[in-house]
Amino acid sequence: MYVIGKREFMSLFKGVKSLIVIAILLVTSYYSAKFANFLLSGIELSAKEAENIHTVGLLGLLLLLGQLFITGLSHDTINRETHERTMRFLVTRTSRTSIVLGKFLGIWLFWFICLIISFLIISMFAQKIDIFIFSQTMSLVTYQISLTILLSVLIPKPGFTMFLGIVLGLSFPILGLWVVFTSNVWVSWTKFFTPFYYLEREDFSFLVIFIVAGIMLFFANFIFKRREC
């Protein structure tokens, strides 16, 4: 599991797309934190909102485009191995559960390091690191990674997951925010399966997101173990 995770982690740092995404994260973190005081002078905010204004750019970016970034980089994390027939070699060396968990661990560590660096940049202007907001952000990213792995298991063709990843990355935040605030009783219940419902609350409800992500990862592993390579 750890070898697979290490390989996935290192491969993410080598790609051009990964470097572009990292650059977008760091640039957004820097300039949103740098001009946070300017926003404070032009917008009337509550004390809590003003306290966290330095992170608004990064959080907005991940809420709107985080799923697009993650699926763009890792949409084929499982089905690429199956399509290229390298999965047969992996399953002879380790269990299928170790493959899924290793892939998840490698992708998760990549984003963990990216966010740690982003929050360190923000801390230069905010003079602190808000552990609560960082934990909320990691719960969102964990959910998005688990969803990406589940799609890569469900869909065998990497080309199709790339297309679906773009569609999902653009539509998911719009639909997710809509079901949170809609009064339509036929769809409002789905908000409990989206991270946005828990992130809008100012308590530890975001921990439920980790549970939902774990459930998706469980189903990904369950399906993968019953699929031919």
Side-chain angles (χ1 to χ4, degrees), residues 82-83 85 87-88 91 96 153 156 223-229:
T82 304
H83 184 72
R85 306 296 183 184
M87 187 61 74
R88 293 183 178 181
V91 296
R96 296 188 182 221
V153 170
I223 295 168
F224 182 57
K225 287 198 295 185
R226 283 155 180 78
R227 177 164 292 177
E228 292 291 334
C229 295

Side-chain angles (χ1 to χ4, degrees), residues 20-195:
I20 294 174
V21 169
I22 292 171
I24 292 173
L25 287 175
L26 299 185
V27 169
T28 301
S29 301
Y30 176 79
Y31 282 103
S32 66
K34 181 178 181 180
F35 294 107
N37 292 330
F38 175 76
L39 293 176
L40 282 175
S41 62
I43 304 175
E44 186 174 343
L45 301 171
S46 65
K48 182 67 175 179
E49 292 171 335
E51 184 182 358
N52 301 324
I53 190 65
H54 295 86
T55 61
V56 68
L58 178 63
L59 296 182
L61 179 68
L62 291 174
L63 281 170
L64 296 177
L65 297 177
Q67 188 67 63
L68 180 63
F69 290 158
I70 292 174
T71 52
L73 296 180
S74 305
H75 67 91
D76 57 351
T77 184
I78 298 292
N79 57 23
R80 180 186 68 248
E81 304 278 6
T82 304
H83 184 72
E84 295 176 355
R85 306 296 183 184
T86 55
M87 187 61 74
R88 293 183 178 181
F89 171 77
L90 291 177
V91 296
T92 61
R93 296 297 185 93
T94 186
S95 67
R96 296 188 182 221
T97 299
S98 295
I99 294 173
V100 173
L101 293 180
K103 294 281 188 178
F104 171 81
L105 181 62
I107 299 170
W108 191 88
L109 284 176
F110 169 81
W111 284 98
F112 178 78
I113 290 178
C114 289
L115 290 178
I116 280 287
I117 296 173
S118 298
F119 271 80
L120 286 175
I121 292 174
I122 292 172
S123 70
M124 294 190 301
F125 299 93
Q127 302 300 313
K128 67 171 185 176
I129 295 180
D130 194 315
I131 301 299
F132 181 78
I133 293 181
F134 177 78
S135 300
Q136 283 185 311
T137 308
M138 283 307 306
S139 71
L140 173 64
V141 169
T142 302
Y143 179 99
Q144 293 167 337
I145 293 170
S146 297
L147 179 58
T148 301
I149 291 177
L150 178 59
L151 289 175
S152 190
V153 170
L154 288 173
I155 302 171
K157 294 183 179 181
F160 190 71
T161 48
M162 180 176 65
F163 170 75
L164 184 62
I166 295 173
V167 174
L168 180 66
L170 294 174
S171 62
F172 184 73
I174 299 173
L175 294 175
L177 291 171
W178 176 66
V179 298
V180 168
F181 296 106
T182 186
S183 57
N184 189 324
V185 295
W186 295 103
V187 296
S188 62
W189 61 272
T190 60
K191 66 185 178 183
F192 298 109
F193 300 99
T194 69

